Amino acid sequence: MTRNLQEHILQTASQLFYSQGIKTTGVDAIVKAAGTTKMSLYKYFPSKDDLVLAHLRKSRAAMLKHIQNGIENSAGDPRQKLLAVFDVFQSLLNTPEFRGCPFINAAAEFAAENNPVQQAAAEFYTDFRKLLADLATQAGITDAELLATQLTTLISGAIVGEQIQRRADTMRNANAAAKILIDYYLAASR
């Protein structure tokens, strides 16, 4: 039961952090929504910061797995796998509960460079860039790191654009730009 309660508290906090923001979501709101006590929350998470970091670690693992599943379910060639990432994000942007990227949101709320929350948010994008660089390398692109950085910029920009103005086709536009970039790098690598 204790593991289930810990997971329930984390899941509840994650939902509130994502829908309402981290700083605006207090411990009292988390406890109330989870139907538990502060004592139980603090038993598993000694501080709100610990809970926030656990939320970001859990979100990071879930998001990377979701992206990898989308890639694996796409067409077989590496170019298509790079483009499949845009489809994964397009489906996330189309959900009614979309409130932006949890990592971008957290980094905006905790903008100080040495803040552990900002660092945890940045770790997702480091892992994501590596995943894209690996796919670019599999496609035979020699400057895979630079392409991965550019694709990450397109995706994160499209997410923020969609957060600001819903149904603006930001991810489709980013996908169109990505096709041009990927084809350019493929041609340059031959």
Side-chain angles (χ1 to χ4, degrees), residues 64-77:
L64 289 170
K65 182 176 175 140
H66 184 71
I67 293 166
Q68 288 170 331
N69 288 342
I71 292 167
E72 289 170 11
N73 293 333
S74 71
D77 90 47

Side-chain angles (χ1 to χ4, degrees), residues 111-161:
E113 190 174 351
N114 294 323
N115 186 291
V117 173
Q118 196 280 336
Q119 290 173 342
E123 287 173 6
F124 167 77
Y125 279 96
T126 298
D127 290 346
F128 180 58
R129 252 189 326 275
K130 182 179 178 340
L131 185 144
L132 292 176
D134 290 347
L135 288 172
T137 299
Q138 291 170 26
I141 293 170
T142 54
D143 207 348
E145 292 291 331
L146 181 56
L147 176 61
T149 299
Q150 292 168 340
L151 295 178
T152 300
T153 301
L154 284 172
I155 289 170
S156 58
I159 291 168
V160 172

Side-chain angles (χ1 to χ4, degrees), residues 9 12-13 16-17 25-36 41 51:
I9 292 168
T12 301
L16 291 172
F17 290 154
T25 302
V27 170
D28 289 334
I30 296 166
V31 167
K32 182 178 179 182
T36 190
L41 183 144
L51 183 55

Side-chain angles (χ1 to χ4, degrees), residues 3-187:
R3 183 71 184 153
N4 290 339
L5 179 57
Q6 181 181 13
E7 185 57 34
H8 177 65
I9 292 168
L10 179 57
Q11 182 64 31
T12 301
S14 290
Q15 290 169 348
L16 291 172
F17 290 154
Y18 184 67
S19 66
Q20 299 176 8
I22 295 170
K23 288 186 176 181
T24 60
T25 302
V27 170
D28 289 334
I30 296 166
V31 167
K32 182 178 179 182
T36 190
T37 64
K38 281 186 180 180
M39 193 164 106
S40 292
L41 183 144
Y42 288 127
K43 174 182 175 185
Y44 300 113
F45 307 99
S47 70
K48 182 180 173 187
D49 288 346
D50 291 319
L51 183 55
V52 170
L53 292 173
H55 152 67
L56 291 172
R57 281 191 300 273
K58 178 182 177 175
S59 297
R60 179 175 150 206
M63 181 65 83
L64 289 170
K65 182 176 175 140
H66 184 71
I67 293 166
Q68 288 170 331
N69 288 342
I71 292 167
E72 289 170 11
N73 293 333
S74 71
D77 90 47
R79 179 183 181 275
Q80 286 305 109
K81 288 183 178 190
L82 279 168
L83 292 170
V85 173
F86 289 82
D87 295 334
V88 170
F89 280 97
Q90 181 66 54
S91 69
L92 293 172
L93 270 57
N94 288 340
T95 63
E97 59 276 357
F98 171 75
R99 299 290 179 272
C101 171
F103 310 102
I104 293 172
N105 295 348
E109 286 193 64
F110 298 86
E113 190 174 351
N114 294 323
N115 186 291
V117 173
Q118 196 280 336
Q119 290 173 342
E123 287 173 6
F124 167 77
Y125 279 96
T126 298
D127 290 346
F128 180 58
R129 252 189 326 275
K130 182 179 178 340
L131 185 144
L132 292 176
D134 290 347
L135 288 172
T137 299
Q138 291 170 26
I141 293 170
T142 54
D143 207 348
E145 292 291 331
L146 181 56
L147 176 61
T149 299
Q150 292 168 340
L151 295 178
T152 300
T153 301
L154 284 172
I155 289 170
S156 58
I159 291 168
V160 172
E162 187 70 20
Q163 188 174 4
I164 293 168
Q165 185 177 4
R166 294 300 305 236
R167 291 170 282 291
D169 273 343
T170 57
M171 196 57 68
R172 282 188 185 85
N173 291 328
N175 189 337
K179 288 176 184 175
I180 294 167
L181 277 171
I182 292 167
D183 290 344
Y184 169 80
Y185 280 94
L186 283 169

